[in-house]
Amino acid sequence: MFRPKLPDTPHVPSITTHIPQDHAPAPSAGRSVAPFGGVGAGAVAAVVVVGVVLTALLAAVAVSAVSVAIAAAVLRSLVTGANRR
């Protein structure tokens, strides 16, 4: 009653190739891995893009912090110099 009913997965036809007689065939789990090949590449590309974006944001924050620190040092030296006169 409380178990979810999962939809039936469609059967994906496997790709058959010619195997030479002198080699033993590799054991198969019955499912083809070919449809999932693009998923791994897409995930890697997404991780790379997110990494590049986060690195660019971190670099922008660092540059902004350095420029604010330089502006604060310059303003402090101008105010200190005006008080000495």
Side-chain angles (χ1 to χ4, degrees), residues 14-68:
S14 62
I15 300 173
T16 58
T17 58
H18 175 69
I19 300 173
Q21 296 299 326
D22 57 342
H23 292 75
S28 175
R31 294 183 77 183
S32 174
V33 184
F36 303 108
V39 174
V44 170
V47 168
V48 168
V49 167
V50 169
V52 168
V53 169
L54 290 178
T55 304
L57 287 173
L58 182 63
V61 169
V63 168
S64 300
V66 169
S67 64
V68 168

Side-chain angles (χ1 to χ4, degrees), residues 70-85:
I70 291 172
V74 169
L75 286 174
R76 182 177 177 189
S77 69
L78 288 175
V79 170
T80 305
N83 289 338
R84 290 184 186 170
R85 292 183 192 167

